[in-house]
């Protein structure tokens, strides 16, 4: 058997689900939000169909993953995630990664420019999260990385690490790029990846809406699947299995 055939045989598929705000009022649903009841239904589906949730920190120790593996992620650490998502994760014993925009801790998601911005968790609330929630980077100021200079990108990582060290936060070196944005053209792409490597970042997440193969072909271009609260159960199941909608 050739090396390529052997490699393909042991590779697994790994969908990475992306969530944002979790709300309890249908009339308040915005883009990038999902109702708590629908979120619970999706979690119940994962349990019923024997999906195994993973943390990114576990991937370092695995050469292959369980057949039905999935990673659950939440961006922005908004308080509504603490109120609705965290209890559901604990209820169903599911693992997830919450990504922190460090400058905005204790503030609100002002980058969205909404009339009613969502409040973001305080340090105390972040530290109260249970161990089934792993923390990751969501940059310092939630800006488009492709619009920043090399020095600005380096400063962004430095400021994030300063908060982590100063506040004694346990954060795994995985980053969800704000807006799914990162430099995609050379030489800027290689420079960006080199900067992340210099700061010890192990994984970088874009959007892409595709299912990943594991081991990853590129650790800094991991695809996430955008789960929207406006979509029905069939669309969720399709995305979980295939990524992009037909």
């Amino acid at each position: 058997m050739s090396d390529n055939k052997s490699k393909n045989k042991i590779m697994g598929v790994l969908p990475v689900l992306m969530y944002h705000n979790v709300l309890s009022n249908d009339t308040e649903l915005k883009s990038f939000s999902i109702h708590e009841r629908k979120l619970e239904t999706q979690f119940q589906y994962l349990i019923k169909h024997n999906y195994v949730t993973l943390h990114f920190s576990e991937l370092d120790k695995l050469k292959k993953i369980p057949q039905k593996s999935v990673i659950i992620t939440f961006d922005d650490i908004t308080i509504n995630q603490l109120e609705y998502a965290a209890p559901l994760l604990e209820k169903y014993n599911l693992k997830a990664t919450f990504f922190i925009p460090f400058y905005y801790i204790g503030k609100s998601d002002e980058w969205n420019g909404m009339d009613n911005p969502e409040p973001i968790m305080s340090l105390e609330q972040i530290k109260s999260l249970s161990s089934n929630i792993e923390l990751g980077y969501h940059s310092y100021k939630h800006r488009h990385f492709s619009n920043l200079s090399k020095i600005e990108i380096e400063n962004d990582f430095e400021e994030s690490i300063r908060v982590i060290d100063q506040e004694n936060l346990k954060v795994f070196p995985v980053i969800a790029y704000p807006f799914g944005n990162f430099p995609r053209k050379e030489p800027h792409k290689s420079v960006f990846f080199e900067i992340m490597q210099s700061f010890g970042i192990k994984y970088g997440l874009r959007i892409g809406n595709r299912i990943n193969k594991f081991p990853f072909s590129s650790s800094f271009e991991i695809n996430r699947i955008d789960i929207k609260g406006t979509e029905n159960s069939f669309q969720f199941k399709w995305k979980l299995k295939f990524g992009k909608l037909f």
Side-chain angles (χ1 to χ4, degrees), residues 12-111:
V13 294
L14 183 58
V16 180
L17 309 183
M18 178 179 71
Y19 294 95
H20 287 80
N21 294 315
V22 185
L23 304 178
S24 62
N25 190 332
D26 288 320
T27 62
E28 294 178 356
L29 285 178
K30 309 166 188 174
S31 58
F32 301 115
S33 62
I34 188 169
H35 196 282
E36 59 169 328
R37 289 195 302 272
K38 183 171 285 189
L39 181 65
E40 181 164 20
T41 299
Q42 293 177 358
F43 285 176
Q44 289 171 339
Y45 180 85
L46 296 179
I47 294 295
K48 180 179 179 180
H49 292 272
N50 302 312
Y51 277 87
V52 177
T53 54
L54 298 171
H55 282 154
F56 284 95
S57 58
E58 295 176 276
L59 298 182
D60 282 350
K61 307 166 190 174
L62 299 175
K63 292 184 179 179
K64 61 181 181 178
I65 55 177
Q67 184 176 6
K68 283 190 170 182
S69 294
V70 64
I71 291 181
I72 300 171
T73 68
F74 285 85
D75 285 3
D76 307 334
I77 59 162
T78 46
I79 287 179
N80 58 63
Q81 294 169 5
L82 175 68
E83 294 175 336
Y84 303 117
L88 288 175
L89 290 165
E90 195 161 2
K91 177 179 179 179
Y92 293 103
N93 194 28
L94 296 171
K95 299 173 183 175
T97 304
F98 283 23
F99 291 103
I100 306 173
F102 294 95
Y103 173 80
Y104 291 95
I105 291 174
K107 299 176 184 176
S108 62
D109 59 348
E110 300 163 4
W111 61 85

Side-chain angles (χ1 to χ4, degrees), residues 200-211:
I201 302 298
K202 294 187 176 183
Y203 301 109
L205 279 59
R206 54 185 293 174
I207 300 179
N209 285 305
R210 289 180 172 86
I211 304 294

Side-chain angles (χ1 to χ4, degrees), residues 169-236:
L169 292 173
K170 185 178 180 181
V171 181
F172 186 75
V174 54
I175 182 168
Y177 307 132
F179 311 104
N181 173 270
F182 65 101
R184 304 193 184 198
K185 294 183 179 180
E186 296 293 359
H188 306 292
K189 179 178 176 180
S190 292
V191 170
F192 179 61
F193 290 173
E194 287 168 5
I195 292 171
M196 291 205 295
Q197 286 178 324
S198 72
F199 283 98
I201 302 298
K202 294 187 176 183
Y203 301 109
L205 279 59
R206 54 185 293 174
I207 300 179
N209 285 305
R210 289 180 172 86
I211 304 294
N212 301 287
K213 298 288 187 180
F214 183 85
F216 302 120
S217 58
S218 174
S219 295
F220 292 154
E221 296 181 89
I222 299 170
N223 290 293
R224 287 199 292 171
I225 301 167
D226 183 11
I227 304 299
K228 299 178 180 179
T230 54
E231 294 168 344
N232 60 36
S233 60
F234 174 79
Q235 290 170 312
F236 169 75

Side-chain angles (χ1 to χ4, degrees), residues 102 105 123-124 126-127 160-170:
F102 294 95
I105 291 174
L123 283 167
E124 292 74 18
I126 294 171
K127 292 178 179 180
S160 295
I161 291 172
R162 178 187 60 78
V163 174
I164 292 170
D165 291 343
Q166 181 176 301
E167 304 301 339
N168 195 29
L169 292 173
K170 185 178 180 181

